[in-house]
């Protein structure tokens, strides 16, 4: 995760597999980085469902087939500053897989809480990301958020 004057960028790698028994059509992976202020209003599954789909061309994914698209996510410095507590910011990464199964549209949503390893000795828990502090990939963690995944 690299910060500059305008904000930060994060590249996420996804792996999508069709575990169903019929082909998934028009499979598109959308991802979003969301900075929130705890206690004011969380970003919810309803918010994710309401996100407009990307204009990307979908994949055809046969049963047991998989693909692994990467996404570059950007968070502006202003978005981070608006919700920061001191220099710490709470960041979610939301990944939504949209697809069709026959005539029916479906989606699977995963929420992740972005944390980092602590810099200080003696702290044995993950800590929030700090604005302006680059986080090497080996110290950055996407923890599955408490909110369950959603599929329909």
């Amino acid at each position: 995760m690299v910060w500059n004057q305008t904000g930060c960028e994060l590249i996420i790698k996804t792996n999508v597999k069709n575990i169903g028994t019929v082909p998934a059509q028009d499979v598109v992976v959308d991802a979003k980085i969301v900075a929130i202020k705890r206690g004011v209003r969380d970003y919810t599954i309803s918010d994710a469902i309401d996100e407009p789909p990307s204009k990307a061309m979908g994949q055809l994914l046969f049963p047991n087939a998989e693909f692994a698209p990467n996404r570059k996510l950007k968070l502006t410095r202003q978005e981070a500053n608006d919700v920061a507590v001191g220099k710490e910011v709470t960041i979610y990464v939301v990944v939504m897989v949209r697809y069709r199964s026959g005539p029916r549209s479906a989606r699977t949503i995963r929420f992740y809480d972005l944390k980092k390893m602590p810099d200080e000795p003696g702290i044995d828990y993950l800590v929030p990301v700090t604005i302006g502090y680059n986080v090497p990939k080996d110290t950055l963690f996407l923890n599955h958020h408490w909110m369950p995944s959603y599929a329909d």
Side-chain angles (χ1 to χ4, degrees), residues 9-125:
E9 290 184 352
L10 174 71
I11 296 174
I12 64 164
K13 298 177 180 182
T14 59
N15 187 20
V16 178
K17 181 176 182 178
N18 181 352
I19 60 171
T21 58
V22 297
Q25 304 165 24
D26 297 327
V27 180
V28 175
V29 178
D30 289 324
K32 180 175 185 152
I33 189 167
V34 180
I36 64 147
K37 190 168 204 167
R38 290 226 187 258
V40 175
R41 182 181 184 281
D42 266 352
Y43 186 87
T44 67
I45 284 180
S46 295
D47 296 322
I49 289 171
D50 291 340
E51 290 283 341
S54 70
K55 306 233 185 285
M57 179 69 96
Q59 300 265 346
L60 175 62
L61 203 57
F62 289 99
N64 294 312
E66 56 189 283
F67 75 113
N70 296 339
R71 295 285 181 265
K72 183 186 286 188
L73 306 178
K74 295 181 180 184
L75 179 66
T76 68
R77 180 74 69 137
Q78 188 61 52
E79 289 170 327
N81 287 340
D82 287 349
V83 296
V85 175
K87 288 279 192 186
E88 292 183 347
V89 62
T90 299
I91 298 175
Y92 294 151
V93 173
V94 182
V95 179
M96 184 181 320
V97 180
R98 299 175 197 264
Y99 57 97
R100 284 188 309 111
S101 179
R104 190 175 136 246
S105 292
R107 65 194 153 251
T108 299
I109 301 170
R110 297 289 297 247
F111 281 72
Y112 298 91
D113 197 0
L114 189 64
K115 298 285 187 193
K116 65 176 182 143
M117 290 290 292
D119 296 328
E120 301 169 24
I123 298 178
D124 58 354
Y125 53 87

